[in-house]
Amino acid sequence: MNIPFDIVKGKGPIIFDPLRTAEDVDQVREFVPEDSVPYVGEALTILRKEVDNEAAVLGFVGAPFTLASYVVEGGSSKHFTKIKRLAFSQPKVLHALLQKFASSMAKYVQYQADNGAQAVQIFDSWATELSPVDFEEFSLPYLKQIVDTVKQTHPNLPLILYASGSGGLLERLALTGVDVVSLDWTVDMAEGRKRLGSNIAVQGNIDPGVLFGSKEFITDRINDTVKKAGRGKHILNLGHGIVVGTPEENVAHFFEVAKNLRY
């Protein structure tokens, strides 16, 4: 998209020339996955063939506000002062950037689905840095645009939305039209289910730190989460990624217990 960056070990994405002005945003090109990341399509096609429907193949994309946060801040951030300065002092500039990301990510979801992804998860990791009223302006419309665009061409493709620390925004996440809202562990599963309603599926939401506990403790926590989620429309998962140093045998135990559950 004409945004040079690198992934630096221990730091994550580093944007060489952070975007701060209307002129910067004008230089951003819309993403054409067939040209820029053909290997993603190839990898999904190969993976789908090898998996042979014994497991689901997931794709994933970044959400517009989260992508914008990286390119405006210049990388990861603690206080998000630069993107908030842009949002609150030059909202038109940020909206122009968000629109480019929304159009591009909708195409990217469609591309992944066309090449073998059976479901796609949208990560809006930094949307929860916004207050609810600002989420409604700078994130929600663009997430909804992606969902609406994809559903026009791929009406049966399940779309999952994840935003860490999203307890204050759950009801608004559901307004995007996604099929599944992924909860992190800061929300009680039963409460999250109640707040989201029965028409939407939930994913999660075991604390990754639980995998440092005993196998008995892990089993108990899985059973508690599944019980609170109720019957159907629940994808058992962690509430975030696996933490570095997690014992592999405990990860294996998580899968074994999960696969042997019966309602």
Side-chain angles (χ1 to χ4, degrees), residues 36-64:
S36 297
V37 290
Y39 51 85
V40 171
E42 293 167 11
L44 283 168
T45 300
I46 294 167
L47 184 60
R48 179 73 181 272
K49 186 176 179 182
E50 290 187 0
V51 167
D52 194 28
N53 276 341
E54 290 188 20
V57 175
L58 265 67
F60 70 93
V61 301

Side-chain angles (χ1 to χ4, degrees), residues 87-88 91 95 98 130-142:
F88 303 146
H95 279 301
L98 291 167
L130 293 168
S131 68
V133 67
D134 294 319
F135 175 82
E136 289 177 355
E137 179 175 356
F138 296 108
S139 183
L140 179 57
Y142 300 102

